[in-house]
Each structure stands twice: as C-alpha cells, then as structure tokens.
C-alpha cells in the first residue's frame, strides 16, 4: 500500500540529546514537510523540501535540522538547541505542483525527560 | 500574511445531531486553496476536502457538507446526523495558489465530541 510512515510512534529522550525522527513515503511525491503540533495548537511548519537535495526553513526551524538525500526520505533531527522539544511531530508529502494536497503520516510523539 | 481562525475550541453534541464547524480565513491573495483535515485520537491527519478560491459551489459528500463564502471569508463544515466515530479534532487550513510555496497555514482546530 502507498503511504507515509513515521517511526517510532513514541520516542523518549533525555534532555541535551539529539534525536532523529524518520519519515518515509512511497507515493512518488516530490515535496515533503515537517510540522510540529502542541496541545491546543494548530500545526506549525518546521521545514519543507520541494525536491531532493533542497529544503527550506519553515516558521519554527530553530533547533531542528533536516536532510533530503533521497526522494522517499526526509528525516528530522531535533537538536539540543531546541528549547521545548516535547511535542507531536507530523510528516507530510505532496506532489509538489499545481493544485497540491498534503497527505500526512501517523506522527511521532517525542517526550524529552 | 495569511491567517485561519477556528473560533470554536470545543463542541459537544449528542449522536444524530447536526453540527457546524466554523472557519474564517484572511489572505491578500486572489488565488488560494482551503482545506479541511480530521485528526482522530490516533493522531494522523486525514484529508477531507480541498476547495480553490474560484469555486464557490457548496459540496456534499455523504453526511459531510462544506459552505464556502468568499464574501465573508468563511469555509464552514457541517456534519449531518453526527456519529460517535466523528469525534476528532478538525482543522481548517489555507494555502497560497500558484508559485512554488506550498506551505499550509492551519487554524488551531476544533475538538468535536459526539456522545452516544
């Protein structure tokens, strides 16, 4: 089945540690996105990539890094510089042109202890 | 700047009631797209509908219907004869049309609880 997978579903890390969240898609989509969701808040864009080897900062990129070495994969690293990393992280992908609709993965809930 | 406002933070209804979720948006663009997503307790956002700014026809899909009114910058979502499975957080979102910026601007969501 085609879709977007994120792993793991739940992630616990100690404060000060970097952690990488996985996002893979087999929809042959060019564009991929990372969003952060906090309780009672809408989604906020962290980074997005419209093509392999290229990505742009979203609204809240500080303390995060990404790479896009393959079309199918867009991992997000939450660094120790991110002051409030505990949140629900959602990955999305889209065709990347025209009347574009973003489709979302199941999310990863990160808790920093 | 773009903005989406969902003024209803939480709504609680009894099964079989009709319920309308409000969405008001702000944009200076003439071409834009509006979306509704459903987020059940599992967390994944499920795409429900996309509407472009040039198409003001209302849409009905089963128990779901959407009312798009450019004059009031609103894109409201109605569930008819609600069911317990409709319980979720619903997000309205806005995207600019054209160009290469596909960023979505989300509202803060409305938590709908349908009680049996």
């Amino acid at each position: 089945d085609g879709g977007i997978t994120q792993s793991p579903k739940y992630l616990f890390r100690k404060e000060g540690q970097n952690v990488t969240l996985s996002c893979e898609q087999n929809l042959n989509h060019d564009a991929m996105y990372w969003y952060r969701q906090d309780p009672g808040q809408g989604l906020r864009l962290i980074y997005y990539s419209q093509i392999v080897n290229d990505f742009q900062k979203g609204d809240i990129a500080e303390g995060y890094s990404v790479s896009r070495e393959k079309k199918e994969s867009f991992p997000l690293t939450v660094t120790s510089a991110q002051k409030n990393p505990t949140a629900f992280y959602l990955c999305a992908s889209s065709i990347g042109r025209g009347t574009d609709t973003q489709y979302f993965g199941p999310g990863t809930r990160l808790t920093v202890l | 700047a773009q903005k989406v406002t969902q003024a209803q933070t939480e709504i609680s209804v009894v099964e079989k009631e009709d319920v309308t979720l409000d969405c008001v948006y702000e944009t200076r663009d003439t071409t834009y797209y509006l979306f509704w997503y459903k987020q059940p307790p599992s967390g994944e956002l499920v795409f429900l509908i996309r509407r472009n700014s040039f198409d003001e026809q209302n849409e009905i899909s089963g128990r779901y219907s959407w009312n798009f009114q450019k004059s009031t910058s609103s894109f409201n979502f109605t569930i008819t004869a609600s069911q317990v499975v409709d319980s979720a957080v619903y997000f309205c979102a806005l995207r600019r049309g054209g160009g290469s910026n596909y960023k979505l601007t989300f509202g803060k969501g409305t938590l709908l609880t349908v009680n049996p």
Side-chain angles (χ1 to χ4, degrees):
Chain A
D1 287 359
I4 303 170
T5 57
Q6 291 185 243
S7 61
K9 180 71 172 176
Y10 299 95
L11 191 54
F12 297 89
R13 279 295 181 269
K14 292 183 179 180
E15 193 171 345
Q17 289 182 335
N18 291 356
V19 60
T20 297
L21 280 59
S22 168
C23 178
E24 305 275 335
Q25 54 96 2
N26 61 4
L27 300 169
N28 200 32
H29 284 171
D30 284 321
M32 297 186 74
Y33 313 79
W34 274 105
Y35 291 89
R36 169 181 172 140
Q37 184 180 18
D38 295 284
Q41 301 292 318
L43 279 68
R44 293 182 291 168
L45 183 65
I46 304 172
Y47 269 98
Y48 64 102
S49 168
Q50 293 172 316
I51 197 168
V52 174
N53 293 322
D54 186 48
F55 48 83
Q56 288 79 41
K57 294 181 178 179
D59 299 321
I60 56 166
E62 185 175 350
Y64 300 97
S65 65
V66 293
S67 63
R68 187 85 188 277
E69 297 177 359
K70 298 187 301 181
K71 187 175 184 177
E72 304 79 20
S73 177
F74 191 40
L76 173 74
T77 296
V78 184
T79 75
S80 57
Q82 168 50 232
K83 298 193 184 308
N84 296 298
T86 295
F88 188 52
Y89 292 87
L90 285 153
C91 177
S93 71
S94 68
I95 294 174
R97 58 187 176 275
T99 54
D100 200 61
T101 296
Q102 292 180 25
Y103 296 92
F104 286 79
T108 292
R109 191 167 299 280
L110 173 64
T111 302
V112 175
L113 307 171
Chain B
Q2 300 192 106
K3 185 179 179 181
V4 175
T5 301
Q6 296 180 253
Q8 305 150 307
T9 305
E10 296 185 34
I11 300 175
S12 182
V13 299
V14 177
E15 207 169 16
K16 298 184 182 177
E17 283 186 31
D18 299 346
V19 57
T20 294
L21 309 181
D22 297 333
C23 173
V24 174
Y25 62 93
E26 297 176 27
T27 181
R28 295 179 182 175
D29 296 331
T30 54
T31 302
Y32 53 89
Y33 298 92
L34 294 162
F35 301 80
W36 275 96
Y37 286 88
K38 173 182 180 180
Q39 187 177 42
S42 61
E44 180 174 350
L45 258 71
V46 178
F47 166 71
L48 296 178
I49 190 170
R50 180 187 69 232
R51 174 66 69 205
N52 74 53
S53 53
F54 295 107
D55 183 0
E56 287 193 71
Q57 282 191 347
N58 292 331
E59 180 152 343
I60 298 175
S61 176
R63 297 184 296 107
Y64 295 171
S65 62
W66 290 269
N67 182 358
F68 176 32
Q69 293 194 339
K70 288 179 74 171
S71 61
T72 57
S73 297
S74 65
F75 186 43
N76 296 337
F77 173 31
T78 297
I79 301 174
T80 303
S82 60
Q83 299 176 2
V84 172
V85 292
D86 296 326
S87 297
V89 180
Y90 291 86
F91 290 98
C92 181
L94 169 68
R95 181 175 79 77
R96 304 183 75 175
S100 60
N101 185 349
Y102 302 105
K103 170 190 170 183
L104 283 173
T105 299
F106 283 86
K108 292 188 176 183
T110 297
L111 172 62
L112 173 64
T113 302
V114 181
N115 299 296

